[in-house]
Amino acid sequence: MKKTLFASLIALLSAGVNAELIQHTDQIAEVKFTGSTYELGKHVGEVAKDDILDSIARFDDTLGVMLPGLNVASLGKSYDGEQVFENLQQQSPEAASYIKGLSESLNLPPSFLLAVGMSDEAILESQRNGGIGFLQAEAPAKCSVMGMTDGKGKGWGVANFDYMAVNYEGLIVLNHTDEDGKTKVIQTWAGLIPYGGIAKGGQPLLMNTMADEGTYREKDSGDILKGNAPSYVLSWDAYNATSPEELLDMYRSGPGKYSAYFSYVMLDPDGEALNVENGYKARYSYSYNQKQSHANHSKFVEHNFVDSKFAAKTLDRQAALDEFMASATAKTTQDEAVAAMHSKPLWKGRGELMGTVTTTHYQIDGNKVDMTIYTDSDHEPVVIKNY
């Protein structure tokens, strides 16, 4: 991330709107913002314009590696044809207002930005048309998450976000206090791809993708966009939840069908940890437990194609997560949890095309959460708080 873009500053933008921009490292910037979601989008586009455009250009090149001829512009046109942004406005006006603000400040169509923000769909589109999808030629992404609460206000969580090498830089953390005074923290890439953070209720949200459900749809020749709600609903609105029940309501009362499949582990310090998944053909499943963990396959539905090699050994990773969590307690230290995530088979490192973008540890004390983000050995961890 270009240092010239993110020198620390504090600005009064308009009545009731405050912004602070902190360049933690050349990889990670934090936007602390008070105001509407639309104003947040405009502000992020203004202060990070050059960096976002550079990131999108690198993403565009990666799409061409996944499938010759695939690019952001072509995906944006297909999104226009399926009225993805219009559907987003109906399903999540708040998420659409963020994209609209970004769109105006970057002078780019909303559909173009969603072609980046809904990157899983791009990967699935590549895979469906004979491309290499999650870049299996080198090694596929293999996110892993785990965490626990004691029901008495304490808990911890940790997540490996594994994705494209273009995501190693351009990380922007949105620390957003809305007009009602509630704060959510969203880890993003280029301000467009949410992949974990802290919900408005103060609960850490550990996000993962469901590689098996996307494969199930592919084998069934199911449509990715047509007739489905944009996955950006799930990847944005989850952070507006103030309780596990509100998170579940997104699955219960929503359209039921989404263009990509995600799992969330929400760590409620005063209760249990919730694990919820959405799947192909309008399925959703969930469970409550003091301890939760998740790799890249459903914990509720077994697919016969999920074997020892599937999704970067997702079965082995789930077994490793479960083994660690079996002896974990509320007193498990940050060093212990991070060391586990930095060991095989959970750890991947940083490959040329795919790798571990971040390892994020969450320490919970009531509704106060300290989020520590690890990138690579050349950078010190970055600490971001919701208070």
Side-chain angles (χ1 to χ4, degrees), residues 3 9 35 60 64-65 67 71 102 142 161 168 215 232 239 262 271 298 310 362 379:
K3 293 183 178 179
L9 73 99
D60 202 57
V65 174
L67 181 67
N71 55 58
L102 270 177
K142 56 173 192 178
F161 173 54
Y168 295 163
T215 301
Y232 212 79
Y239 303 93
F262 304 135
S298 176
F310 183 80
Y362 302 84
H379 294 81

Side-chain angles (χ1 to χ4, degrees), residues 3 16 35 41 44 63 115 141 147 156 196 226 257 259 267 272 326 353 363 371-372 386:
K3 293 183 178 179
V44 172
L63 291 178
W156 60 268
K226 188 180 296 293
K257 295 172 64 178
S259 52
L267 302 173
E272 293 182 305
L353 294 177
Q363 193 66 48
M371 189 168 74
T372 304
N386 69 336

Side-chain angles (χ1 to χ4, degrees), residues 3 9-10 22 24 35 46 58-59 107 132 134 138 148 182 225 240 245 288 300 314 327 344-345:
K3 293 183 178 179
L9 73 99
I10 298 177
I22 306 169
H24 290 286
E46 289 165 358
R58 290 185 286 115
F59 177 70
N107 195 29
I132 57 176
F134 278 95
E138 181 186 350
M148 66 171 298
K182 295 179 180 178
L225 298 176
N240 289 324
E245 284 299 306
Y288 283 97
F300 303 91
T314 183
S327 59
K344 298 289 185 180

Side-chain angles (χ1 to χ4, degrees), residues 10-32:
I10 298 177
L12 182 66
L13 303 180
S14 62
V17 177
N18 291 280
E20 181 180 1
L21 186 55
I22 306 169
Q23 182 69 49
H24 290 286
T25 72
D26 59 346
Q27 296 175 333
I28 301 175
E30 176 185 6
V31 175
K32 299 184 73 172

Side-chain angles (χ1 to χ4, degrees), residues 114-178:
L114 284 173
V116 180
M118 293 165 55
S119 59
D120 275 14
E121 284 80 348
I123 293 169
L124 293 168
E125 186 72 22
S126 160
Q127 192 170 307
R128 184 174 69 168
N129 287 280
I132 57 176
F134 278 95
L135 301 173
Q136 287 97 328
E138 181 186 350
K142 56 173 192 178
C143 304
S144 305
V145 307
M146 61 182 176
M148 66 171 298
T149 66
D150 65 0
K152 301 176 182 178
K154 302 289 186 179
W156 60 268
V158 65
N160 276 357
F161 173 54
D162 286 23
Y163 219 55
M164 305 176 195
V166 294
N167 299 138
Y168 295 163
E169 299 177 350
L171 303 171
I172 302 174
V173 180
L174 308 178
N175 196 334
H176 179 213
T177 302
D178 65 17

Side-chain angles (χ1 to χ4, degrees), residues 34 212 233 251 287-288 347:
T34 300
D212 57 340
V233 176
Y251 294 83
S287 69
Y288 283 97
W347 177 245

